[in-house]
Every structure is written in C-alpha cells, then in structure tokens.
C-alpha cells in the first residue's frame, strides 16, 4: 500500500482526487463524502445510491454514472459511511421518484443506511434497500441473510442501475435488484494480505505458498487453507464451489472474475480460460464476461469468481449500456461468448524417446540438458535482467524438438529439420534469445542443404556454423567481449574450424569445440554486459556467467555427448 498522504485524511484526499480526475462526469456532494453523477438529480427517475467503506475501488464511487448508480457514499477504509453522510448523498440525488439503497450485508452499513432511510421517510422521501448477499463462504445456503456482499455487489448494482435508467418505478427497480441478488453467487481466494493506509504491517497475512479459500474482502476468515494452486487448479476450486450453489436457469449467465487489488490482469485471463471451460462443460453459456478489478480490497492479492444466472428480464437489463469512471459498456450482444483457445505445442514436452533422425537425437539431448538447468539459467538471467531465460529456452527447445521430429518423420533432410527446428524455437521462445537461436539452427541447416546424414563431415558442419554465426552477428550486432552469447559461440566456431582443418571426425571435433564453448561461457563471469537489458545493471552481473553463453555451452556439450554415443535410444 502506498505511504503517500495521511491516514487520517485518506478518505477526503482520495475523494477529492477522484472528482478532480473525473469532474466531467461526477461531482462531490456538498458537505459530504459522497459523489453524484453530473446529470443527477433527474426528475422522475429513481436514484440508485450505493456505498460502503473506501478501499474497494472502483466500488463504490467508480460506478457512478448513466446506466449504473446515481450516487455513492463512502466511509473510511473498510468502514461504513455514517448515517448523516448517507442521508446527505441520498437527499442530493433524489429526483422525486424515490431512492434505492444498495450495499453489502455488513452490520455497520445496515445500521447507518437504515437510519438514513428513516430520516428520508420522515421527510416524505420513499426508499427501498437491497442487501447484497452473494458470498457463499460466509454463511449457509439456507440462511442467505447471514451472507456477506462481495464482488456480486457490482452485478446487482448494474441491474438496478439499468432498471432505473429504463424509467422503472421504485418498486420495479427494487424487484429487479432483489432478483439479481437471489441469482448471484461468489467464491473467492486470497494469497496475500492488504495494508491499511499508514500501517506498517498488513491487516492480515497468508502463509507463503498457501491460499485462503473463501476469504472476505476485509480479511474475514475463509473456509479453509490450501497449498498454493496453479491457475487451472484455482479455477477448478472456484467453479466447484459455485456450481452446487447456483439457482436453476436456462444456462445463460454473467461471469465475473474479479481481482482483489494486486493480482495482475494477465494472471486472471490465464485462470479464466479454465473457468470458461468448466462452466461450458456444466451446460452454462456465459453471455457476458467481465475480467478485471470491480470490488477490490486495497492491495490484497487474490481473486473471486461471481456468476449471475440470467432470465429474460435480467439479460435485458445487464446488456443495457452504462458509462462510469470504473466501468463502461456500449450495450452487449445477447449471445454466447465462444471459447477461444490457442494451441501451443511448446508447452508440452514431446512424448517418447528420440527417433532415428540425427537432428531428433541431438536435440533430444540438448533439451534434456536445458531442462535440468532451467532454474540455474533463470537465476543467471535474473542477476541483471528479467529471469526468464531458463523458461524461454525450455519452451523453445521443446518446440524445436517437436518440429524437427515431425520434419524427419515426414522425410525431410537434415537441412529441412534444422530449418523447422529454428523457426519453431524462435516462435516459441520469443525475445532476443529465441530469435538468435532460431537463426543459428536455421542457418546451420541451410549450410547443409543437399547433404544426406552420411555425407555430413566436420568440414561441412564447420561451414554451416560459419555461415550461421555470420548471420547471428549481422542480426544481433554483437561483438566479442560484450558479455553475450557470442562470447561462447565464437570460440566454439573457431575451435570447430580448427578441428575440421586438422581432419578430426564429427563426434570428436564437435566435442572438443564444445569444451572451448563451456570454458568461454564460464569466463563471461569476468565481463560486464554492453548490450541489451543487462547493460543497465552492468556491474551487478560481474561475477556471474552470461545466461545466453551458458545455455549455448549446455546445448553444444549435450549434442557432443549424443554424437559420441553409439546408441542413445
């Protein structure tokens, strides 16, 4: 959590900043910690007023605008707004058609919003209330009134706001919100606590490599603690928790995967693929999907999954457009969202032992070496870069092996198999290393065009490697001594050329050249980088070998060992 600002004025300061940033669409309620839409009050239109403690943005103030809430009132962090603040906000928003209050089922909110409703009634202003109770972890299904309101707040507020925008009277807006709440279920998980403004320690903690299933948005206890799950396993836990709780329907649903404040969008998208698969397998059709931050908890690490079961009325209301600082919709198409899947064969290791093809055999050995050293390559890369070299090389080498195996099975010569391998490696690994390794494989193969395996001697290999390194230098624009892959590649190329000129055989000559590459890779620890991301943190990398040079040495060493084995199958 940021340390900017003062804890005692946090509520005031962030509301001031919010209305300053979005002043074109919202304004402050005079003498209150509330915000209204610029078009509010609107004569003859029900005013939907939502609220709760701050710390949950974009709930609640971020959801004020046409098609959603008329206004929002906020309390201190994780604390209900006072009855006076609620009253002032609702009074300023009333357009003569009454007020619908919407908030989560927390005692402080119930008391203060209830007191405000009584005061409005005394002045002749009618109001109704929707308590959101979507959190299945907080109470038994038989007693929904005991359940908390969490990310399902957003779905219920969206329905209520659309009904009010349509011109429904107060009773109809309330009825739509009640039905939305009855049809909404949420289940969440946290894997890191949140820190209150000005606090030195988190409000709560989650043990390392553990997750808290069912944790509330204020740190309320969950239902159980489990080991840290993968994205697929997490999706299964969330869906398995929700499916038995969902009310009957015709299969149409809204799905909301909500981030609690610190979970990255990319991570949520990874999880959502499995969520979608599981829901579709259960016969559900997600007509609308929301993935992002809707009801957060400061900087808590975690996600929640909400499902709203639709009927004809709810489907029409949810599809209606809205425009708020935190969420906008131009109006959704009422049809099932298809499951899009990208096939990435590089994620899985090619099955089976190496085949009869020479490229298959040597790349199998190279892949095994990279897999064994993946963590070390990542560690070396993390010294002065982003730490992904080991993972990228594993991914790339798996793709290269799969492509080479397929090519040789289809009758491609060595040159064709190496071209396929290089193209696949560059595609799967990505980044500079992927492109450069792809060039090395493809250009080496090009130098062997027209040669059968039995015709490839060390001289031919040396010529192919010479051409590949030339292309590598032209593409990467590296020079020896800059602490790059080239500092292992060039000694290998020179040694291979010397071995070929001395008349060495393929296996022996390659093995000796690989030893030179390994020695050169180790010596890169004495260098400082002059190119790429690592150059910015040059001194930090001193004493650590270059990851690219190290992976190259591992690959050519493994290939040399495979060439020396008479039968590695």
């Amino acid at each position: 959590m940021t340390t900017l600002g003062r804890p005692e004025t946090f509520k005031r300061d962030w509301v001031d900043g919010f209305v300053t940033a979005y002043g074109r669409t919202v304004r402050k309620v005079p003498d209150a910690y509330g915000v209204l839409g610029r078009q509010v009050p609107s004569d003859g239109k029900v005013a939907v007023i939502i609220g709760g403690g701050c710390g949950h943005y974009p709930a609640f103030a971020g959801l004020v605008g046409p098609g959603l809430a008329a206004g929002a009132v906020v309390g201190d962090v994780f604390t209900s707004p006072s009855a006076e603040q609620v009253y002032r906000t609702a009074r300023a928003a009333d357009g003569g058609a009454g007020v619908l209050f919407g908030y989560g089922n927390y005692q402080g909110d119930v008391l203060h919003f209830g007191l405000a409703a009584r005061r409005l009634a005394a002045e002749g202003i009618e109001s109704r209330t929707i308590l959101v109770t979507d959190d299945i972890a907080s109470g038994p299904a038989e007693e929904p009134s005991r359940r908390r309101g969490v990310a399902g707040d957003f779905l219920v507020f969206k329905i209520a706001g659309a009904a009010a925008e349509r011109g429904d009277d107060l009773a109809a807006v309330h009825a739509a919100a009640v039905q939305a709440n009855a049809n909404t279920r949420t289940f969440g998980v946290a894997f890191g606590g949140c820190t209150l403004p000005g606090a030195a320690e988190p409000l709560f903690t989650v043990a390392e490599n553990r997750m808290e299933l069912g944790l509330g948005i204020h740190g309320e206890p969950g239902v159980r603690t489990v080991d840290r799950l993968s994205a697929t396993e997490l999706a299964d836990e969330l869906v398995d928790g929700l499916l038995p709780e969902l009310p009957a329907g015709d299969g149409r649903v809204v799905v909301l995967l909500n981030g609690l404040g610190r979970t990255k969008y990319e991570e949520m998208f990874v999880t959502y693929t499995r969520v979608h698969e599981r829901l579709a397998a259960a016969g559900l059709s997600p007509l609308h999907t929301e993935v992002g931050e809707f009801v957060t908890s400061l900087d808590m690490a975690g996600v929640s999954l909400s499902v709203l079961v639709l009927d004809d009325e709810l489907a029409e209301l949810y599809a209606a457009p809205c425009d708020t600082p935190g969420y906008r919709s131009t109006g959704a198409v009422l049809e099932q969202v298809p499951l899009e899947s990208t096939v990435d064969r590089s994620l899985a290791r090619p099955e089976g032992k190496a085949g009869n093809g020479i490229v298959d055999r040597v790349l199998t050995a190279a892949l095994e070496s990279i897999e064994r050293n993946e963590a070390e390559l990542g560690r070396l890369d993390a010294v002065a870069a982003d730490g992904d070299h080991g993972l990228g090389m594993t991914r790339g080498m798996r793709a290269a092996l799969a492509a080479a195996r397929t090519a040789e099975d289809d009758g491609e010569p060595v040159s064709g198999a190496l071209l396929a391998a290089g193209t696949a490696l560059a595609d799967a690994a990505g980044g500079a290393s992927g492109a450069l390794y792809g060039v090395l494989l493809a250009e080496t193969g090009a130098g062997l065009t027209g040669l059968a395996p039995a015709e490839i001697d060390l001289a031919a290999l040396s010529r192919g490697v010479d051409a590949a390194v030339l292309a590598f230098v032209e593409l990467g624009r590296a020079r020896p001594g800059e602490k790059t892959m080239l500092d292992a590649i060039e000694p290998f190329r020179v040694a291979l050329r010397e071995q070929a000129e001395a008349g060495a055989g393929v296996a022996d000559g390659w093995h000796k050249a690989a030893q030179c590459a390994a020695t050169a890779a180790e010596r890169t620890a004495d260098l400082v980088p002059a190119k790429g991301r690592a150059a910015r943190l040059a001194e930090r990398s001193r004493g650590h070998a270059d990851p690219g040079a190290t992976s190259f040495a591992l690959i050519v060493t493994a290939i040399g060992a495979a060439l020396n084995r008479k039968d590695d199958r």
Side-chain angles (χ1 to χ4, degrees):
M1 183 64 194
T2 179
T3 58
L4 297 176
R6 294 176 296 169
E8 63 270 22
T9 62
F10 183 74
K11 174 177 63 174
R12 181 200 68 194
D13 294 343
W14 88 258
V15 171
D16 286 349
F18 172 73
V19 296
T20 301
Y22 294 104
R24 64 188 180 278
T25 59
V26 298
R27 61 185 175 87
K28 285 186 69 174
V29 177
D31 301 318
Y33 293 107
V35 298
L36 298 177
R38 279 287 178 187
Q39 78 285 359
V40 175
S42 179
D43 290 344
K45 180 179 175 182
V46 173
V48 176
I49 303 298
I50 62 178
C54 64
H56 301 304
Y57 190 86
F60 299 93
L63 303 179
V64 171
L68 227 155
V73 55
V74 296
D76 289 310
V77 177
F78 298 169
T79 303
S80 170
S82 71
E84 180 68 19
Q85 300 297 313
V86 176
Y87 165 76
R88 292 181 184 180
T89 302
R91 190 72 179 80
D94 177 45
V99 174
L100 177 77
F101 288 122
Y103 49 91
N105 187 24
Y106 299 90
Q107 184 177 21
D109 293 304
V110 172
L111 291 173
H112 285 283
F113 276 87
L115 288 172
R118 287 175 175 270
R119 187 170 174 183
L120 290 175
E123 297 180 7
I125 299 175
E126 185 181 4
S127 70
R128 297 199 181 187
T129 293
I130 178 64
L131 284 177
V132 183
T133 56
D134 58 305
D135 183 11
I136 67 170
S138 56
E142 300 78 24
E143 298 181 76
S145 63
R146 292 175 53 188
R147 290 182 164 178
R148 304 173 294 218
V150 284
D153 283 359
F154 168 77
L155 301 174
V156 176
F157 299 160
K158 174 67 176 70
I159 294 295
E165 190 73 22
R166 189 171 62 181
D168 292 3
D169 62 20
L170 182 58
V173 173
H174 180 254
V178 168
Q179 188 61 47
N181 182 59
N183 285 17
T184 300
R185 302 289 188 275
T186 298
F187 189 40
V189 59
F191 28 91
C194 57
T195 304
L196 300 182
E201 299 293 336
L203 180 64
F204 66 94
T205 59
V206 178
E208 188 176 358
N209 297 322
R210 303 283 276 175
M211 288 183 171
E212 294 285 345
L213 293 174
L215 200 77
I217 57 174
H218 306 125
E220 302 94 337
V223 292
R224 71 181 189 276
T225 303
V226 299
D227 290 335
R228 189 69 64 94
L229 305 173
S230 68
T232 297
E233 293 167 336
L234 174 58
D236 286 339
E237 282 282 357
L238 296 175
V239 174
D240 288 342
L242 286 185
L243 285 179
E245 287 270 353
L246 296 180
D250 61 13
R252 292 175 295 170
V253 294
V254 177
V255 183
L256 168 62
L257 189 64
N258 174 67
L260 289 170
R262 204 191 318 163
T263 304
K264 302 305 294 181
Y265 278 60
E266 290 90 341
E267 295 174 311
M268 288 189 278
F269 287 128
V270 171
T271 303
Y272 183 74
T273 300
R274 179 61 174 174
V275 168
H276 197 113
E277 290 174 350
R278 288 292 312 281
L279 294 177
L284 301 178
S285 299
L287 297 191
H288 311 281
T289 300
E290 315 289 356
V291 178
E293 294 181 340
F294 294 84
V295 182
T296 62
S297 186
L298 293 174
D299 59 344
M300 185 190 295
V303 295
S304 63
L305 176 65
S306 301
V307 175
L308 165 60
V309 175
L310 297 171
D311 55 24
D312 289 342
E313 175 77 356
L314 295 178
E316 177 183 339
L317 290 171
Y318 195 86
C322 66
D323 186 2
T324 74
Y327 177 76
R328 295 176 180 176
S329 173
T330 57
V333 178
L334 298 179
E335 61 183 27
Q336 182 176 359
V337 179
L339 176 63
E340 299 288 347
S341 179
T342 300
V343 178
D344 189 350
R345 295 181 177 85
S346 68
L347 298 179
R349 195 180 194 281
E351 297 180 357
K353 296 181 179 180
N356 292 322
I358 181 61
V359 180
D360 185 344
R361 290 195 295 117
V362 299
L363 290 185
T364 296
L367 171 59
E368 290 172 350
S369 180
I370 290 296
E371 288 177 329
R372 287 193 301 270
N373 291 277
E374 179 182 317
E376 175 62 10
L377 292 174
R379 185 193 69 78
L380 290 173
D381 193 40
V383 171
D386 52 13
D388 66 347
H389 187 65
L391 179 62
M393 287 302 301
T394 295
R395 188 169 59 235
M397 288 300 297
R398 286 175 177 173
L401 174 56
R405 184 170 294 178
T406 298
E408 289 188 316
D409 287 346
D410 290 343
E412 286 287 336
V414 170
S415 58
L418 285 172
L419 174 61
T423 301
L425 193 156
D427 181 45
S433 294
L436 294 171
Y437 268 113
V439 165
L440 287 175
L441 285 173
E443 292 296 328
T444 299
L448 302 176
T449 300
L451 298 178
E455 299 172 322
I456 299 175
D457 57 13
L458 195 61
L461 268 177
S462 179
R463 289 192 296 272
V465 170
D466 282 345
V469 174
L470 178 61
F472 176 98
V473 172
E474 291 177 347
L475 180 64
R477 298 181 180 180
R479 293 179 296 181
E482 293 181 333
K483 197 166 186 173
T484 68
M485 294 163 56
L486 186 62
D487 289 308
I489 292 172
E490 180 61 12
F492 173 82
R493 183 195 70 80
V494 171
L496 196 68
R497 166 62 57 191
E498 292 173 349
Q499 290 295 312
E501 292 173 350
V506 170
D508 187 52
W510 187 283
H511 173 70
K512 290 178 179 177
Q515 288 180 318
C516 292
T519 299
E522 292 175 359
R523 289 175 177 168
T524 61
D526 299 327
L527 303 176
V528 291
K531 296 182 68 67
R533 299 177 186 174
R536 295 174 299 173
L537 301 171
E539 284 302 320
R540 181 183 294 181
S541 74
R542 191 184 295 276
H544 301 273
D546 178 69
T550 302
S551 62
F552 178 81
L554 289 170
I555 288 172
V556 294
T557 298
I559 290 174
L563 292 172
N564 271 292
R565 287 194 295 268
K566 294 181 179 179
D567 186 3
D568 68 342
R569 289 170 291 171

